[in-house]
Amino acid sequence: MSDNVEKLMPEHLKRFQGTLDRIERDLREVKGRVANLEGGQASIIQHLAHFSAADAAQQLTIDNISDRLDRIERRLELAS
């Protein structure tokens, strides 16, 4: 009986080690995928910042055009 238990223990330990190895591989894969997602998120944030800067520049241009139009209307006495 004791001999059977001694033979079973190494088999169980081998199975546990195999399961642990598989979990470690899966964890490495998940870490890599999370890193890719974080990189993609950073890229999206950069693009949004560029869009915000472009929007601000366009708004400034529109404000300048509006000021010029107001001055033109005053000179032509079109403003009421």
Side-chain angles (χ1 to χ4, degrees):
M1 178 79 172
S2 176
D3 195 32
N4 287 340
V5 171
E6 288 178 18
K7 289 180 183 177
L8 287 176
M9 286 303 291
E11 291 300 319
H12 283 298
L13 290 175
K14 285 180 187 176
R15 267 199 279 159
F16 288 145
Q17 186 62 46
T19 300
L20 182 59
D21 290 343
R22 198 169 52 251
I23 290 170
E24 287 174 343
R25 278 194 310 273
D26 289 347
L27 184 58
R28 276 193 296 274
E29 179 187 344
V30 168
K31 283 181 177 181
R33 294 174 79 179
V34 168
N36 287 339
L37 288 172
E38 288 173 340
Q41 182 183 19
S43 178
I44 290 170
I45 290 169
Q46 279 183 328
H47 286 299
L48 289 175
H50 290 301
F51 288 143
S52 293
D55 186 42
Q58 286 178 347
Q59 188 59 48
L60 182 62
T61 300
I62 291 170
D63 290 343
N64 289 337
I65 291 171
S66 179
D67 290 344
R68 291 178 69 193
L69 183 59
D70 288 343
R71 284 196 310 269
I72 291 169
E73 286 177 340
R74 277 196 308 271
R75 283 184 183 170
L76 296 176
E77 297 178 0
L78 297 175
S80 29

